[in-house]
Amino acid sequence: MENKNKITFSRRNFIRTSALASGGLLIGFNFFNSCKEAAVPPVDVSKLNFNDFNAFIKIADNGYVTIFSPNPEIGQGVKTSMPMLIAEELDVPWEHVSVEQGALDTENFQRQVAGGSQSIRFGWDALRQTGATAKQMLVNAAAAKWGVDASSCTASDGIIKNSNGDQLSYGDVVNEAATLEVPEDVTLKLPKDYKIIGKDAINVDIDDIITGKPLFGLDYKTDGMLYASVLRPPAFGQILESYDASEAKALSGVIDVIVIGEKARNYLNQEKFDPSAHWSVRLSESDKVVVIGKTTWDVIKGKKAIKAIWKNKSLTESTELHDKKLNDLLNGKEFDTRRSDGNVKKAFANADKVIERVYESPFLPHNCMEPMNFYADVKNEKVHLVGPIQTPEAAAKVVASLLNRNIEDVHVDMTRMGGGFGRRLYGDFVYEAAEISDKIKQPVKLVSTREDDMALGVYRPAIKYKIAAAIKDNKISGYHLKEAAINSNMYGLIPHFFPAGAIENYQVDTANYQSNITTGAWRAPYTNFLAFAEQSFIDELADELNIDPVQLRLDLLKEVKDGEDPNIQYSAKRMSDTIKLAAEKGNWRKTSDNVFQGFAAYYSHNTHVAEVVDITMKNGQPSIDKVTVAVDCGIVVNPTGAKNQIEGGVIDGIGHAMYGDFSFENGQPQDVNFNTYRLIRMKETPIVETHFVKNELSPTGLGEPGLPPAGGALANAIKAATGEVLTKQPFITSLKNLQTDLKV
Amino acid sequence: MASYNLKVNGKKVSIEADSDTPLLWVLRDELNLVGTKYGCGIGQCGSCTVHVDGVATRSCLLPASGLEGSEITTIEGLAKDKLHPVQHAWKALDVPQCGYCQAGQIMTATSFLKQNPNPNNEEIRNAMHGNLCRCASYNRIEKAVALAAKKMS
């Protein structure tokens, strides 16, 4: 993906301009459509109204710029980094730019679609073009005012100059610019000329966050709004049999106790219902008891006072059952083959030696710090929904279908989100809120306690991998990976990730067990555990071949020719450079004797990452001191934000590899709050040091790719220190049993 | 339901609540001070941290009815005319990701630095260990507390 510097802007129809009554220029554009790959105008754009756009750039007559972004923030920093792309090409000082979340309830923000982890990658060209087009309009307006040719004018830092030495500020020409045609050809800057891209920009919402302003879904209120707390079956596989709400109704703050579920069942039982077309649907078939009250505390108390009896409708599963089912799949013969090179069977038959390992991971809840919640106001004429959701369009569609409304009458507004990690792709809590408001005919906020949230489902599924390698003449001649997972398997091009392409005889097989426990995407889906398994396995292969593990990876990458296999997205060159940078900056195998190191490198979400973990042993347990990270994500748009994502991703990866555990008995989750469910805390965190590979390639995402290599690098460091090969997450369970006969 | 007189962020307020209502929900639902966050409800995550008479306290477990006569400070009341040095440090180091837990982190840090104005790294880690950050912005929180201590001394 080389950078194009001169781009003929064929999508001018995505942009419309207008003079502001108060003075100034308003430019409307379509934020999310611009960010989709191969975006095309949805309709005849000459017929579009201003409110068909969802994002705006306002240039006031004092030259100050406001970018109205409909893009809500989950914490990945795109609300800061994406406007930076516009401001760079518009060429205004970043200090003169403010970024505002599109106001709720305005007609201008009707067509919101969440950006997702590919925002920067897909927005790179489109957002720069939008900024450059706006700049060209201002230049054209100034040139017309001076009566000179626009090509003789330049613009920089909000000032336009001509060859006669005249100058005008952007603010001086905004009213004229509003009347001009949108230019078709714009020239984008060369990376060497960047003034904003590549410089640290502090999170645009920082002041609101550190002073406690209302930003999140749970903070949203309207006059007369009631609160609702939902009592759901305690176990997957159960449904409601009966309940007694008399004690709850006697509480002073409880207004009513109702039952919902019928609309969800009707929806699920539709003849045409196709779950694959409704990937954001996670609905239970059970009735649920809902307590309506005046405050959050009223409904929390009210729910505790409900006496409900549940009955088994389908199998109530346990972790023991899942273990057995996944082991049976791994040892069975029923697989889908997802990649096959050469002849694996033959390679294994002719091997001098075969090495095989099984890696195991549990279910994991997302545990966003802000528990799931949503506001719904269902009225006869329209439905208004507000809250933290990454898929508002899908949520609106499902709600329209549930309530038998036209999609045009369902309006969803997004708030800032207190974490996502994949959980807020699924709108189960939105549908419940809508069904409640529909029933009580009042505006209502559905709130979840932590216990509700952790038991609500949509977990990362438990997965097991069996990896086998054939060794012949001291080389890896064959590689066979089998995945057994709950509900679904690795998606897209994951079967073609490294080391695919590096080994002649190579096969990836998958199988799954269908469970009634709902599962879904969790930060870096599949690769969050697959990378651990593969990167640990490669380390063991290096031991077996008696070669340095960093060198083995570099040797394997030499076998890969970039561009030869269209399914292979990683670049052997970029991966090798990233590995070398991590090894150099991390002082690979050059540290003092009491420091043990582990290495891992992984490509995911279009970004190459390599990590060196340093540990020391204290009282027989690893102290994880430092992680040195090398990242190739192309041009780094906002270094402080980029590093923040990597630091968080690495610590998240280490935290869940060390402590993340979630099991079931009789369909019931065994942990529902942080007293027993362990998340990593400050004393357990390493210092993360991030280095970027410097290049001028188009930027790629950072929210996820830092996470996958972390668990493998840590396991490899623990192996270096203790000789113990960790194959099962969480590590803490194995480490508790670790003997103190250490190498130290 | 009974009436209680509280002092929040220097202002006297009268509230109506059941005697067992935690301060957290009085702040959020009655007084519209939503900067203090709900995270777990059992005092394990620290998102709901406020100051009661200057000491960092979990508001999710603390009945508001017992707080008459106490000085309660929330994130909204931390900055007087200008940002508190801890808030400045949070901004200078661009700490937050999603931002949800940060009010609780800041309230814990400000109370800690009052008791220990010149902490070493281990003391900072111990003091902040009770506050969860799911985005894992821990490195920056640690550095921001150290930076604030330096600026305040």
Side-chain angles (χ1 to χ4, degrees):
Chain A
M1 225 185 301
E2 293 299 326
N3 256 318
K4 295 164 282 185
N5 296 311
K6 172 90 174 167
I7 297 176
T8 303
F9 192 10
S10 59
R11 293 187 233 152
R12 67 170 174 142
N13 292 330
F14 272 148
I15 292 185
R16 288 285 287 280
T17 61
S18 169
L20 285 166
S22 56
L25 169 67
L26 188 67
I27 301 165
F29 65 105
N30 203 312
F31 203 89
F32 294 119
N33 262 336
S34 319
C35 300
K36 283 181 186 163
E37 219 162 14
V40 286
V43 288
D44 177 359
V45 276
S46 62
K47 297 201 175 77
L48 285 180
N49 291 317
F50 226 78
N51 61 14
D52 289 314
F53 296 94
N54 59 22
F56 301 89
I57 305 168
K58 185 178 95 183
I59 307 174
D61 51 17
N62 63 2
Y64 277 67
V65 175
T66 310
I67 296 171
F68 295 88
S69 154
N71 204 16
E73 183 63 70
I74 317 171
Q76 79 282 52
V78 293
K79 194 175 165 189
T80 306
S81 57
M82 298 186 81
M84 287 171 77
L85 304 181
I86 295 172
E88 177 70 63
E89 291 294 342
L90 182 56
D91 213 325
V92 285
W94 182 243
E95 305 74 53
H96 294 185
V97 178
S98 56
V99 181
E100 287 185 21
Q101 173 89 39
L104 299 176
D105 270 333
T106 69
E107 292 196 340
N108 289 332
F109 291 87
Q110 275 179 353
R111 299 190 176 195
Q112 294 158 327
V113 186
S117 61
Q118 299 290 326
S119 306
I120 277 284
R121 189 173 151 237
F122 293 157
W124 173 242
D125 281 341
L127 295 174
R128 286 183 305 143
Q129 282 167 4
T130 302
T133 303
K135 173 173 142 180
Q136 191 60 49
M137 290 173 70
L138 295 161
V139 169
N140 291 351
K145 217 169 178 172
W146 285 321
V148 302
D149 195 87
S151 62
S152 69
C153 304
T154 59
S156 176
D157 292 325
I159 305 288
I160 307 155
K161 293 178 181 168
N162 68 19
S163 50
N164 302 328
D166 302 321
Q167 65 176 54
L168 287 165
S169 82
Y170 285 2
D172 296 332
V173 294
V174 283
N175 296 326
E176 291 80 359
T179 64
L180 297 180
E181 282 277 301
V182 177
E184 273 196 63
D185 290 335
V186 293
T187 306
L188 301 180
K189 289 180 179 179
L190 293 168
K192 69 176 174 57
D193 297 321
Y194 288 157
K195 290 181 273 192
I196 293 172
I197 293 171
K199 306 276 188 310
D200 287 345
I202 304 289
N203 183 337
V204 292
D205 285 331
I206 187 79
D207 288 324
D208 288 349
I209 292 170
I210 60 178
T211 56
K213 296 283 184 309
L215 292 170
F216 298 92
L218 215 52
D219 304 340
Y220 181 81
K221 288 180 188 182
T222 58
D223 288 342
M225 176 187 94
L226 301 174
Y227 292 82
S229 178
V230 182
L231 183 65
R232 305 175 186 87
F236 291 88
Q238 288 187 324
I239 59 169
L240 181 70
E241 184 170 274
S242 62
Y243 73 101
D244 174 1
S246 51
E247 274 182 41
K249 283 183 175 170
L251 294 169
S252 62
V254 170
I255 292 168
D256 202 359
V257 177
I258 63 167
V259 169
I260 60 164
E262 194 191 340
K263 296 219 182 285
R265 269 193 307 279
N266 291 344
Y267 181 79
L268 291 169
N269 294 333
Q270 287 176 92
E271 241 172 77
K272 59 183 180 190
F273 180 76
D274 168 14
S276 66
H278 297 260
W279 61 279
S280 73
V281 176
R282 291 290 189 280
L283 285 167
S284 147
E285 60 184 331
S286 176
D287 273 337
K288 298 156 203 173
V289 185
V290 184
V291 179
I292 313 289
K294 289 178 198 157
T295 69
T296 312
W297 184 244
D298 289 328
V299 295
I300 289 175
K301 276 205 320 191
K303 192 165 74 169
K304 281 187 186 148
I306 303 276
K307 291 187 179 64
I309 295 169
W310 311 94
K311 63 180 176 193
N312 288 1
K313 177 79 190 297
S314 54
L315 192 62
T316 53
E317 300 178 357
S318 65
T319 294
E320 203 182 331
L321 175 92
H322 296 146
D323 270 339
K324 184 181 179 311
K325 294 288 182 190
L326 295 182
N327 282 330
D328 289 351
L329 285 173
L330 277 187
N331 297 325
K333 289 188 160 47
E334 299 289 314
F335 288 99
D336 288 332
T337 296
R338 308 284 295 276
R339 183 182 172 98
S340 176
D341 298 329
N343 188 331
V344 164
K345 211 171 172 182
K346 207 168 148 193
F348 277 84
N350 294 334
D352 298 333
K353 189 170 183 182
V354 171
I355 298 168
E356 186 181 279
R357 282 281 183 196
V358 173
Y359 298 89
E360 303 170 78
S361 70
F363 282 81
L364 288 180
H366 297 83
N367 281 328
C368 304
M369 287 310 293
E370 180 192 16
M372 297 308 112
N373 66 87
F374 228 80
Y375 169 89
D377 184 12
V378 177
K379 291 209 159 57
N380 286 335
E381 57 279 19
K382 67 169 191 137
V383 177
H384 189 204
L385 306 163
V386 185
I389 183 78
Q390 284 170 266
T391 50
E393 222 172 46
K397 273 183 199 156
V398 176
V399 169
S401 176
L402 274 178
L403 304 183
N404 202 17
R405 300 296 188 99
N406 293 323
I407 183 75
E408 295 78 33
D409 298 333
V410 181
H411 181 83
V412 184
D413 285 313
M414 294 185 283
T415 59
R416 190 180 182 87
M417 306 182 212
F421 314 105
R423 177 61 182 92
R424 289 188 161 99
L425 295 167
Y426 307 97
D428 43 308
F429 46 93
V430 187
Y431 320 142
E432 287 178 347
E435 194 173 346
I436 295 165
S437 179
D438 182 62
K439 199 146 198 173
I440 65 172
K441 304 290 174 211
Q442 297 210 61
V444 69
K445 168 77 81 61
L446 178 153
V447 291
S448 305
T449 60
R450 176 59 54 192
E451 290 83 358
D452 295 332
D453 189 276
M454 218 182 284
L456 206 45
V458 201
Y459 305 113
R460 178 190 82 171
I463 299 184
K464 293 184 198 292
Y465 289 104
K466 182 187 273 188
I467 316 182
I471 311 277
K472 177 83 176 166
D473 301 329
N474 217 38
K475 285 221 149 65
I476 305 163
S477 56
Y479 187 98
H480 193 177
L481 180 138
K482 294 173 181 173
E483 176 185 88
I486 304 284
N487 290 343
S488 57
N489 291 106
M490 60 169 87
Y491 64 96
L493 291 171
I494 295 175
H496 310 281
F497 284 6
F498 183 80
I503 298 162
E504 196 182 343
N505 303 295
Y506 191 92
Q507 190 166 325
V508 176
D509 293 335
T510 61
N512 64 65
Y513 166 75
Q514 290 299 307
S515 166
N516 58 13
I517 297 171
T518 48
T519 54
W522 193 100
R523 193 176 195 174
Y526 296 93
T527 59
N528 58 43
F529 185 67
L530 174 60
F532 155 74
E534 291 195 324
Q535 292 297 308
S536 303
F537 191 70
I538 288 173
D539 231 63
E540 279 203 82
L541 292 179
D543 293 346
E544 181 64 34
L545 300 170
N546 200 20
I547 178 171
D548 177 86
V550 170
Q551 192 56 48
L552 175 62
R553 289 174 173 87
L554 293 172
D555 290 348
L556 285 169
L557 286 163
K558 280 182 197 147
E559 305 297 320
V560 184
K561 297 214 171 27
D562 281 348
E564 207 166 65
D565 178 343
N567 283 324
I568 291 184
Q569 282 188 322
Y570 73 86
S571 152
K573 183 186 181 306
R574 294 178 76 171
M575 184 62 102
S576 300
D577 289 348
T578 309
I579 288 173
K580 286 176 195 162
L581 182 65
E584 180 209 322
K585 298 290 185 186
N587 280 323
W588 176 246
R589 296 279 155 96
K590 286 181 193 153
T591 52
S592 57
D593 287 350
N594 66 333
V595 176
F596 298 93
Q597 293 188 309
F599 194 90
Y602 206 70
Y603 165 91
S604 66
H605 305 272
N606 310 96
T607 296
H608 302 76
V609 180
E611 297 175 9
V612 178
V613 169
D614 290 5
I615 66 168
T616 47
M617 295 302 289
K618 286 179 184 141
N619 306 320
Q621 292 295 315
S623 160
I624 309 160
D625 300 326
K626 187 181 167 189
V627 183
T628 308
V629 190
V631 182
D632 181 353
C633 58
I635 289 171
V636 181
V637 175
N638 182 12
T640 174
K643 284 182 185 165
N644 213 348
Q645 290 304 304
I646 294 295
E647 289 160 15
V650 167
I651 294 172
D652 190 5
I654 284 178
H656 281 92
M658 278 295 289
Y659 309 115
D661 200 4
F662 199 67
S663 60
F664 294 87
E665 286 289 339
N666 299 317
Q668 200 162 347
Q670 295 303 287
D671 299 288
V672 289
N673 208 327
F674 299 132
N675 53 342
T676 57
Y677 185 87
R678 188 168 175 187
L679 284 170
I680 195 165
R681 289 172 184 269
M682 187 175 281
K683 276 199 279 185
E684 295 134 2
T685 55
I687 297 299
V688 180
E689 190 184 289
T690 308
H691 302 272
F692 293 101
V693 175
K694 288 189 176 58
N695 61 41
E696 293 186 356
L697 300 168
S698 298
T700 54
L702 285 167
E704 291 164 293
L707 187 147
L714 174 59
N716 294 338
I718 292 171
K719 175 163 68 70
T722 66
E724 190 85 6
V725 176
L726 297 172
T727 57
K728 191 169 181 175
Q729 289 188 357
F731 300 159
I732 191 73
T733 313
S734 312
L735 290 170
K736 274 184 192 154
N737 307 324
L738 188 65
Q739 297 301 307
T740 43
D741 55 343
L742 306 169
K743 289 181 183 176
V744 255
Chain B
M1 191 88 85
S3 215
Y4 303 95
N5 296 311
L6 300 180
K7 197 170 174 194
V8 181
N9 297 331
K11 277 185 218 143
K12 285 184 183 156
V13 289
S14 177
I15 55 142
E16 297 275 323
D18 286 343
S19 62
D20 61 350
T21 309
L23 174 63
L24 171 67
W25 299 114
V26 169
L27 294 171
R28 290 188 57 86
D29 292 352
E30 306 283 332
L31 301 175
N32 268 327
L33 294 168
V34 296
T36 305
K37 298 297 191 237
Y38 169 82
C40 70
I42 57 168
Q44 293 283 325
C45 77
S47 297
C48 68
T49 306
V50 298
H51 295 175
V52 176
D53 297 324
V55 179
T57 308
R58 304 280 199 258
S59 64
C60 71
L61 292 171
L62 191 67
S65 55
L67 293 171
E68 287 192 315
S70 297
E71 295 267 353
I72 298 157
T73 307
T74 70
I75 187 72
E76 290 93 343
L78 189 63
K80 305 287 185 224
D81 299 329
K82 50 182 187 177
L83 291 180
H84 187 281
V86 168
Q87 290 168 312
H88 267 299
W90 245 250
K91 187 172 177 174
L93 296 179
D94 194 24
V95 172
Q97 289 184 34
C98 87
Y100 191 80
C101 74
Q102 300 294 350
Q105 305 274 1
I106 290 169
M107 296 311 281
T108 301
T110 46
S111 163
F112 163 64
L113 289 177
K114 212 184 279 176
Q115 292 158 14
N116 183 353
N118 197 12
N120 61 31
N121 273 358
E122 202 186 333
E123 288 166 335
I124 293 173
R125 288 187 152 227
N126 280 329
M128 302 306 296
H129 193 71
N131 285 67
L132 284 173
C133 173
R134 179 65 183 82
C135 303
S137 65
Y138 293 115
N139 277 192
R140 292 186 185 211
I141 293 169
E142 188 177 343
K143 285 181 197 154
V145 177
L147 176 66
K150 208 174 134 197
K151 295 273 181 196
M152 286 162 79
S153 66

